[in-house]
Amino acid sequence: MLHKLFLTLPLLSLICLAVASPLEPRAPVPGLIDALLNGVLSTIGQLIKDVLNGVKSAQSGEISTKPLICLSSVDKCCIWYDVSKDLTGRFKGADGQCNDNARAAIRMGFHDAGAWDKYSTNGGADGSLLMDFGEIDRPENNGLQSIRLILREVQQKYKVGYADLAQFAHNHATVTCPKGPRIRTFVGRKDATKAAPKGLLPDVHDSADNLIQLFANKGFSAHDLAALVGAHSSAKQRFVEPAKANFPLDTTPGIWDVNFYNETLQKPRDERIFVLPSDEVLSVHPKVNDEWKSFVGNQPHWNEDYAKAFVRMSLLGVDNVNALSDCTRTLPVARPNGK
Ligand code: HEM
């Protein structure tokens, strides 16, 4: 009996191969990006691998102005110089700090990319939240309506991809905040063809263990999560406690600084800030607390860890990593001294 089964198995797989003809559209293979970064890599694939493995920094100071003659057929970054200039006008306040549009763009980059896990066959950094699949009406995306409309206007004007724009805007916003990291910025992603799967963004009232697991399924360690939620350094809340709408999550929401890490640990707390229940439970969780404390007073450590984790975030679900282009040079200059 067993003997017969062994004989028929190769035959069955041959039949399956014949049925799955090469013309048939194939769903993307689920799994973490690390599996894609094996074998022969392009220069960009190797760079991404080195960044994710900590061999190269996830931040870059490389900068250039738009060449007088910029041929989009040769240089995929040409249009991003224009997008970058446009976003600066929208993200930087008169006081030189990052404004409400910037903080919403930071959250947008996360909510677009983060709706993915290693079991997903779609979702991730695919622009679906900016597109017309109805994701903006999901409760977890409340508050992102205005930045979505702004970024759609930018998309219309420059005809860039939605997926790239969501991530470019995030990276532009962080470096527009004084002290913010200048995160390596890649373009060339494919836009979504349908809505991202539901239930993959974090719930503010969930337990720390569940939140850690949710992020682990996206390829992030508990320490990565500690770095990522630091984005709440430049954040405000409106819907968790409406009576305290527009309360910032640290005392300096226009600056990308490490006050957030210190201020969430303080008891009693500064009355001007609101601490999210999720940040509360994460900050004291044994798998997170040591890293959380290590960011207090250490801006360079946090910026590098955030940038590294966000490069991974910005590539969740992206299956053409070897074909991307590095357009970091089109971003505004970083202001590490806050000036
Ligand atoms: C445990 C994970 C997280 C939870 C539960 C969470 C939850 C929330 C909640 C409830 C708000 C307030 C929304 C409102 O009432 O207006 C918020 C704001 C924000 N979040 Fe998160 N978040 C998480 C992780 C992240 C990550 C990883 C990022 C970015 C990488 C991020 C960026 C932001 C930003 C920038 C804001 C401010 C938005 C604004 O002021 O318009 N969050 N988050």
Side-chain angles (χ1 to χ4, degrees):
M1 179 66 196
L2 208 62
H3 174 73
K4 270 190 184 161
L5 187 70
F6 278 128
L7 277 177
T8 47
L9 267 181
L11 194 67
L12 269 176
S13 47
L14 269 180
I15 294 167
C16 289
L17 272 177
V19 171
S21 98
L23 293 175
E24 213 172 307
R26 265 192 332 127
V29 184
L32 300 178
I33 186 174
D34 312 73
L36 292 176
L37 295 170
N38 276 323
V40 182
L41 297 175
S42 68
T43 312
I44 206 82
Q46 187 60 47
L47 172 64
I48 291 168
K49 183 174 184 174
D50 288 346
V51 166
L52 295 180
N53 289 337
V55 174
K56 286 198 173 140
S57 173
Q59 304 176 82
S60 164
E62 188 198 351
I63 191 156
S64 93
T65 46
K66 187 177 181 179
L68 275 180
I69 300 168
C70 206
L71 295 176
S72 301
S73 51
V74 182
D75 182 352
K76 302 282 178 239
C77 302
C78 291
I79 196 66
W80 294 99
Y81 290 101
D82 304 328
V83 175
S84 183
K85 202 170 157 198
D86 192 319
L87 292 183
T88 302
R90 297 172 192 263
F91 290 174
K92 196 172 178 180
D95 56 2
Q97 300 194 356
C98 49
N99 62 18
D100 284 354
N101 288 338
R103 56 187 116 264
I106 294 169
R107 190 165 178 236
M108 168 62 79
F110 165 49
H111 279 220
D112 186 49
W116 181 91
D117 72 11
K118 62 185 175 185
Y119 309 109
S120 308
T121 50
N122 76 299
D126 62 1
S128 58
L129 180 48
L130 288 180
M131 297 168 81
D132 290 311
F133 301 115
E135 268 176 68
I136 192 65
D137 299 325
R138 295 181 184 173
E140 64 270 29
N141 292 326
N142 204 2
L144 293 172
Q145 293 88 346
S146 159
I147 190 64
R148 176 172 175 270
L149 292 181
I150 290 173
L151 293 179
R152 281 172 68 96
E153 197 184 301
V154 173
Q155 191 281 330
Q156 274 293 305
K157 197 164 159 192
Y158 302 100
K159 307 287 179 219
V160 289
Y162 291 97
D164 288 335
L165 182 58
Q167 299 313 312
F168 188 91
H170 169 282
N171 291 5
H172 188 295
T174 61
V175 75
T176 299
C177 297
K179 300 191 183 185
R182 201 159 177 280
I183 303 171
R184 289 208 200 250
T185 301
F186 304 102
V187 301
R189 296 170 187 76
K190 298 174 200 161
D191 282 345
T193 53
K194 54 181 171 179
K198 289 184 176 168
L200 298 179
L201 286 170
D203 180 337
V204 71
H205 296 294
D206 213 343
S207 69
D209 282 323
N210 284 352
L211 292 168
I212 291 168
Q213 187 57 53
L214 183 84
F215 277 78
N217 289 345
K218 304 180 197 298
F220 299 105
S221 68
H223 282 191
D224 291 331
L225 178 54
L228 285 170
V229 295
H232 293 156
S233 160
S234 299
K236 294 178 183 171
Q237 76 86 34
R238 272 151 291 162
F239 307 108
V240 182
E241 200 170 315
K244 291 189 170 177
N246 289 318
F247 264 50
L249 306 187
D250 80 352
T251 52
T252 50
I255 305 175
W256 186 273
D257 58 20
V258 285
N259 289 354
F260 165 80
Y261 288 104
N262 187 28
E263 290 171 1
T264 44
L265 291 174
Q266 295 305 314
K267 296 275 171 59
R269 294 233 171 79
D270 190 310
E271 287 176 0
R272 293 167 296 173
I273 69 166
F274 183 88
V275 176
L276 296 178
S278 51
D279 289 337
E280 176 100 53
V281 292
L282 283 171
S283 66
V284 294
H285 189 280
K287 288 186 180 158
V288 177
N289 178 256
D290 54 341
E291 191 68 354
W292 196 283
K293 286 191 293 196
S294 79
F295 293 138
V296 175
N298 195 341
Q299 183 86 34
H301 177 201
W302 174 46
N303 274 13
E304 186 55 38
D305 283 12
Y306 183 88
K308 183 176 168 202
F310 209 87
V311 165
R312 178 179 287 277
M313 180 76 75
S314 72
L315 297 172
L316 293 184
V318 173
D319 62 3
N320 61 337
V321 274
N322 283 306
L324 301 180
S325 305
D326 181 355
C327 292
T328 315
R329 63 183 180 279
T330 66
L331 289 175
V333 67
R335 293 178 292 157
N337 301 322
K339 303 236 168 57

